[in-house]
Amino acid sequence: MARFGINPENTYGIGIPDLRKLAREIGVDHALSLQLWESSVHEARILASLIDDPGLVTQTQMDSWVKDFDSWDVCDQCCANLFDRTEFAYQKAAAWSSHHREFIKRAGFALMASLARHDKGAHDEAFAAFFPIIKSQSTDDRNFVKKAINWALRQMGKRSPGLNIKAIETAREIREMDSKSARWIASDAIRELTGRAVRERMRRLGSGR
């Protein structure tokens, strides 16, 4: 776990497939989710994100949990399993993306990426508002932040033909910035978003197939 940049403190070494199986057995349980989170155990917190009810999650809970993030996997799991299904998701993505703490800031961009993947009914305009944020924060050279910014940019650029064009335009602007981090974020995103697989996906989406 430590080799992959995961905090090994307070952990049992239980894999995600086993946690997902356990979550299916438990079902939705908001009260238990809160108890699991308070345990501070690494896997218990991931399990908490799998069984919580997004309809019962408050802004206070989200702000409290995000302050406890101490590992990229807990951050990403919470954003992809739970936070992106709450009514506050877009608001928190924008708010957290400029935070000074590494994992809170990562959460903002992980949430953008998760929304781009999972919120099928959202209009392009909801994501277009994130591009200026991505550009403004792209000089942050912290590893877990810049990778999340890149992730968000790529996921939005794969969502629709219109967002693909906007993401590539934004990446090209970022690439011109005097920052090693920005250049990496942009170059990696451009490579994927202009690649054959994504171009074919955009063609299918554009033709309605």
Side-chain angles (χ1 to χ4, degrees):
M1 292 176 71
R3 189 169 65 251
F4 286 98
I6 297 173
N7 188 347
E9 298 297 323
N10 282 336
T11 186
Y12 297 138
I14 302 170
I16 295 295
D18 290 325
L19 292 175
R20 292 192 181 280
K21 179 181 177 181
L22 186 56
R24 288 192 294 270
E25 294 173 358
I26 294 171
V28 177
D29 193 326
H30 178 66
L32 178 58
S33 174
L34 296 178
Q35 292 177 345
L36 287 168
W37 191 268
E38 288 303 314
S39 74
S40 298
V41 173
H42 187 93
E43 291 87 351
R45 286 184 162 172
I46 293 175
L47 181 58
S49 75
L50 289 165
I51 67 170
D52 206 349
D53 183 346
L56 297 179
V57 173
T58 64
Q59 294 191 63
T60 299
Q61 178 184 337
M62 294 174 74
D63 288 331
S64 175
W65 282 24
V66 78
K67 291 176 183 176
D68 289 334
F69 288 169
D70 60 358
S71 190
W72 66 263
D73 62 326
V74 174
C75 170
D76 294 0
Q77 288 290 332
C78 279
C79 290
N81 298 333
L82 180 63
F83 287 174
D84 68 342
R85 292 183 292 143
T86 69
E87 62 179 298
F88 315 109
Y90 287 87
Q91 174 185 341
K92 293 303 180 185
W96 294 340
S97 62
S98 60
H99 202 279
H100 68 279
R101 287 178 55 179
E102 183 173 18
F103 287 114
I104 296 180
K105 189 168 186 175
R106 180 184 175 92
F109 294 102
L111 195 45
M112 292 179 194
S114 297
L115 285 165
R117 290 184 60 196
H118 299 151
D119 191 359
K120 304 300 184 183
H123 296 296
D124 283 2
E125 290 76 11
F127 297 98
F130 290 143
F131 287 121
I133 298 174
I134 287 174
K135 183 178 178 180
S136 70
Q137 300 299 324
S138 62
T139 57
D140 193 319
D141 62 0
R142 288 174 293 182
N143 188 51
F144 293 123
V145 173
K146 70 179 184 180
K147 286 188 174 182
I149 295 172
N150 169 265
W151 180 26
L153 183 58
R154 289 185 294 108
Q155 287 301 138
M156 286 191 281
K158 292 186 288 185
R159 183 178 170 88
S160 73
L163 288 175
N164 179 261
I165 293 171
K166 183 62 178 175
I168 293 171
E169 289 176 350
T170 300
R172 286 172 175 161
E173 292 172 4
I174 292 172
R175 190 171 57 182
E176 298 304 312
M177 299 172 71
D178 185 19
S179 163
K180 184 177 180 181
S181 173
R183 288 193 295 271
W184 176 83
I185 289 168
S187 297
D188 184 76
I190 290 170
R191 183 164 47 250
E192 180 171 1
L193 297 178
T194 60
R196 179 179 298 177
V198 175
R199 289 204 312 271
E200 177 60 24
R201 173 177 168 78
M202 293 304 106
R203 186 192 67 77
R204 294 196 304 270
L205 290 173
S207 63
R209 294 174 56 188

